[in-house]
Every structure is written in structure tokens, then in C-alpha cells.
Amino acid sequence: MTTAGRALLVTAAALTTVSSLVLTAPAARAAPSPTATPPAGMSTVGGARLGVAGTQVDLGGGAPVLPKGLTARSWVVADAESGEVLAAHNAHWRLAPASTMKMLFADTLLPQFPKSAEHEVQPSDLEGIGAGSSMVGIKENETYTVHDLWLGVFLRSGNDAVHVLSAMNGGVRNTVAEMNEHAEELQALDTHVVTPDGYDAPGQVSSAYDLTLIARSGLQKKDFREYCSTVSAKFPGATKKNKKGKKVREEFEIQNTNRLLSGDTDVDVYQGIAGVKNGNTTNAGATFTGVAERNGKVLLVTVMNPAKQEHNEVYKETARLFDWGFKAAGKARPVGELVPPRSAAQSSPRPGATASGATGQAGGGSADATGTAGTRPVAGASDGGSGAGTALAIAGGVLVLLAGAAFLVNRRWPLPDLVRRRSRP
């Protein structure tokens, strides 16, 4: 993956600080059992306090206390633009990630194929999918666009879509190797990939810190932002003959399983939500990383495996942490930071630089983010009876950089013009 498109600024001072925080991740191991406790010594990437077990928060004057009753084994609240970690709980505990691992899959593979490219699915493309996997409904010997496949990945968390894209990328083994390489580049050193779709496997782990870091990288891509904010879309079905004997392609609607985006009977659509990815497996429990914006402040929240077994608990705890984060922003003193990618930390500052034409390497990404007919992203999506509500467009595709001097002071990694949302009616 190229680094030119990332167009990120960093200073020698920032490099020195980041380097002092980075530790080599221990060898991959199985995720801990549900009764396990976090290790006494965890990674200190992003700051020493993030390696300490338990809740880390530094309430400044006027900052609200953290919400009561949080049961997640691990969580992180961070400013998506500045990278400041406002609060965390067992941030670097290496746990099973479930389908939140698909964020790394997307951040790694999105630049590889134009969204208009087509692929005819071979039976071998769908081999090795784990029993009980979430599926979007891909059919053998049918042709899909890359755009269709990514909708299947993000909305339905389709392991079949992941396997088809992996086959296009040289196979599962090659894709896993590239994902692990990209995780290392992002300094997501708690992460070890075994399956590209997040299906439970021995040794497959990540952490709330790493998932937040990965989401932040993915959100630099315009296509990533489009897919993770899409509420519902039309998906191609089987090709059949109609009454006149003409072959026609059926289609069906798919809904995003992110309940803060699409809503549910016991969860409202969260004001300002714009993605990112949820997951749930036997070993991982429920996991979720979300991004939301209010009053010009963009926050990332990751929640892993709440102990409370209430329906949609992972979304309820995420919403409460978002509420706290928006109230605490500018008041709570940061307890750590989301570090930049290694290539950014090794580059030289270029004052006044812009990223026109770098629509998304920050991964990377395609500059073509035009939606396809039948897709209903959060941007301008009508309710359609689904309770999704309406929201303003995810605007712009150009990564606007701060001047070098400003980055020297703030060490910001600014997101693109990400999410501008209005209150639901």
C-alpha cells in the first residue's frame, strides 16, 4: 500500500514521543476466557495509562462523571480528529474482535479494486466460510460489482462477501497476511488476524484501542465512509427467466445491522451517528466501534463484550459513552492518544500541504465514491418505514490538512469533512 496519498503531517518531536510509547506486541494468543481478568501489564502504545488495567479518566473542571453501570470488558472514547483518548477501560486488553475485524479488512482492501469492477463468483470463492456465519446471500456463478460486495460486507456483515473479495485479492491466506502487515503499519500491535471476516479462530485478537485506531484510518477513505453510513440498499439476487423467457436479475433489500444507525425496538438511531461496524460471535460476545458528530466534535467509541446480557446492550453502552464524551470534550483531560501510522511518523512535515487527489490513502482509497442506484446511505436517506430517519450528507472527499505549524502544536490527524448531521424530526 502506498503512503503518498495519506498526506499526513508529523514532526520530529511527535516522532520522538510516539516512538517512546510503542512497544512490540507479544506473540498472538487465544482470546481470554469470559472469566479472565486483564493482564497487569499491557501495551502502552498511545500512553502509559492506556496499559494499566481498569478505568482511566482524568476529569477536569466541569467534566461529568462517567456513566454508571458500564459492563463492557474493554472500551475507549476518543476524539477522532485530535486523536486524544478522553477515557478508557482496559484499552489494550487483547480480546476476540468478531466482525469489527472487517474494518481492518476494508481498510486494507478498499484501494485494491475499482467499485465498478465485476466478478463472477466461483464455487471455490465461497470455500472455508465458518459454520453459522452471517451471510448476505451471494450465489455461485452470478456476477457482482465490487460496490455490491462492499455493501454486503458493511451492511450485512457478510462473510460470503469477504471471502469473494479475498479470492479476488489472491486468496484468504494472502489477504490475512496483508491485513496483519497493515495492522502493524497502523501501530495496531494488539491485533493478530487469522480469518479476514472476524470469525472466531484461535489466536485471533484485537483490542478496543486497536479497533478505534483502525476505524480512524478507515474513515480517511471516502468509500469507507459511504459504506459504513449506508442504512439500506438493494442487493443483487439470482438470475431467473421471467414469463416471457427473458433472463432477469432479482434483487432484495439489505439493512445495516448497526443498530445505532438503523434503530431497533429498544434502541433509537443515535443523533449524529455515521457508522462504523458491529460484530457478535460466541467467543467475542458483542463488539462495536462507532463514530458520531455533534456541534463540530467527532468522537469514536469502541465497546467490547458487555457482561450484561440485555438485548442490544453493546449499543446502549456505546450511546451512553458517546453522550458522556460529547459533554466531557474540552473538559476531561486526555489519558492517551491514538498514534499515527508508522509511515506518517517517519515522514517529514510539509507546511501548507493539501491532499487534493488523496481521497483516501490512510489508508488510501478510490476517489470514486459515487453511489449506485438503489443504495440509501445515511446521507439523505428517507425513513422508508424502517425508523432510520434522515440525516445530512457525508460531504466532501478531500482530506484537508492542517498547516505544519498547527500540527507541531496539536499533533492532529484531521479527518476529512466527515459527518454533518441534523437532529431527527
Side-chain angles (χ1 to χ4, degrees):
M1 183 175 295
T2 61
T3 59
R6 293 187 176 96
L8 299 172
L9 302 179
V10 76
T11 65
L15 174 59
T16 300
T17 303
V18 170
S19 298
S20 66
L21 297 176
V22 175
L23 297 181
T24 302
R29 57 185 180 275
S33 68
T35 58
T37 57
M42 295 180 283
S43 169
T44 57
V45 172
R49 290 189 64 173
L50 299 182
V52 179
T55 301
Q56 305 301 316
V57 66
D58 190 354
L59 301 177
V65 297
L66 286 166
K68 296 180 179 180
L70 297 173
T71 67
R73 301 172 79 189
S74 177
W75 53 259
V76 165
V77 181
D79 186 308
E81 293 186 305
S82 70
E84 292 178 344
V85 176
L86 304 182
H89 179 74
N90 301 327
H92 280 291
W93 194 3
R94 305 178 85 205
L95 301 167
S99 285
T100 49
M101 185 66 83
K102 290 182 173 77
M103 294 189 296
L104 179 60
F105 174 78
D107 196 34
T108 304
L109 262 65
L110 264 172
Q112 304 299 329
F113 311 106
K115 63 198 305 183
S116 59
E118 297 184 342
H119 177 76
E120 182 177 337
V121 176
Q122 303 302 311
S124 59
D125 296 348
L126 300 175
E127 292 177 354
I129 298 175
S133 288
S134 55
M135 310 279 269
V136 68
I138 289 174
K139 306 296 183 183
E140 296 177 2
N141 304 316
E142 292 284 6
T143 298
Y144 299 84
T145 65
V146 167
H147 178 75
D148 294 331
L149 295 171
W150 282 119
L151 287 172
V153 170
F154 276 93
L155 273 67
R156 292 299 304 168
S157 204
N159 289 6
D160 47 355
V162 170
H163 276 253
V164 172
L165 285 163
S166 296
M168 295 172 63
N169 191 53
V172 167
R173 180 176 296 182
N174 179 67
T175 298
V176 166
E178 290 184 358
M179 289 172 67
N180 280 316
E181 182 180 358
H182 188 50
E184 184 175 348
E185 150 67 11
L186 295 179
Q187 303 201 61
L189 303 181
D190 298 323
T191 299
H192 180 74
V193 185
V194 178
T195 64
D197 49 23
Y199 191 85
D200 285 339
Q204 178 143 282
V205 290
S206 190
S207 66
Y209 180 88
D210 279 14
L211 293 174
T212 309
L213 204 66
I214 291 164
R216 191 180 187 221
S217 176
L219 289 165
Q220 307 299 309
K221 293 183 177 70
K222 189 174 184 179
D223 285 353
F224 189 105
R225 300 195 305 276
E226 175 199 343
Y227 293 129
C228 80
S229 69
T230 299
V231 178
S232 65
K234 297 296 184 180
F235 194 82
T239 300
K240 296 183 178 180
K241 288 184 178 181
N242 61 15
K243 294 180 180 179
K244 297 181 179 181
K246 183 180 179 181
K247 288 185 177 181
V248 294
R249 189 78 180 267
E250 296 180 336
E251 63 178 17
F252 55 93
E253 185 171 278
I254 56 175
Q255 295 280 340
N256 201 311
T257 54
N258 170 359
R259 297 309 180 195
L260 291 189
L261 190 67
S262 60
D264 203 356
T265 54
D266 57 344
V267 175
D268 292 331
V269 174
Y270 190 81
Q271 180 184 337
I273 194 69
V276 179
K277 190 70 189 75
N278 57 315
N280 197 324
T281 66
T282 301
N283 193 32
T287 61
F288 179 65
T289 297
V291 63
E293 185 268 352
R294 285 187 188 175
N295 301 320
K297 180 67 67 174
V298 184
L299 297 183
L300 280 162
V301 172
T302 295
V303 172
M304 300 187 76
N305 196 356
K308 190 175 182 180
Q309 296 300 306
E310 187 173 328
H311 186 241
N312 285 325
E313 181 64 20
V314 71
Y315 303 109
K316 295 172 183 178
E317 296 195 16
T318 299
R320 291 159 63 196
L321 285 169
F322 267 130
D323 288 345
W324 175 85
F326 286 121
K327 294 176 182 177
K331 299 174 183 176
R333 290 179 286 268
V335 295
E337 66 172 351
L338 301 177
V339 296
R342 281 180 168 166
S343 57
Q346 294 165 1
S347 64
S348 300
R350 295 185 294 117
T354 62
S356 57
T359 323
Q361 305 274 88
S366 168
D368 177 15
T370 304
T372 300
T375 301
R376 290 197 292 131
V378 161
S382 62
D383 190 299
S386 66
T390 60
L392 297 181
I394 291 181
V398 178
L399 178 60
V400 180
L401 297 177
L402 296 177
F407 193 82
L408 176 62
V409 175
N410 299 317
R411 299 180 59 209
R412 291 168 62 90
W413 179 7
L415 290 170
D417 188 6
L418 177 61
V419 281
R420 296 295 174 259
R421 297 288 184 261
R422 69 178 179 216
S423 301
R424 296 183 67 212

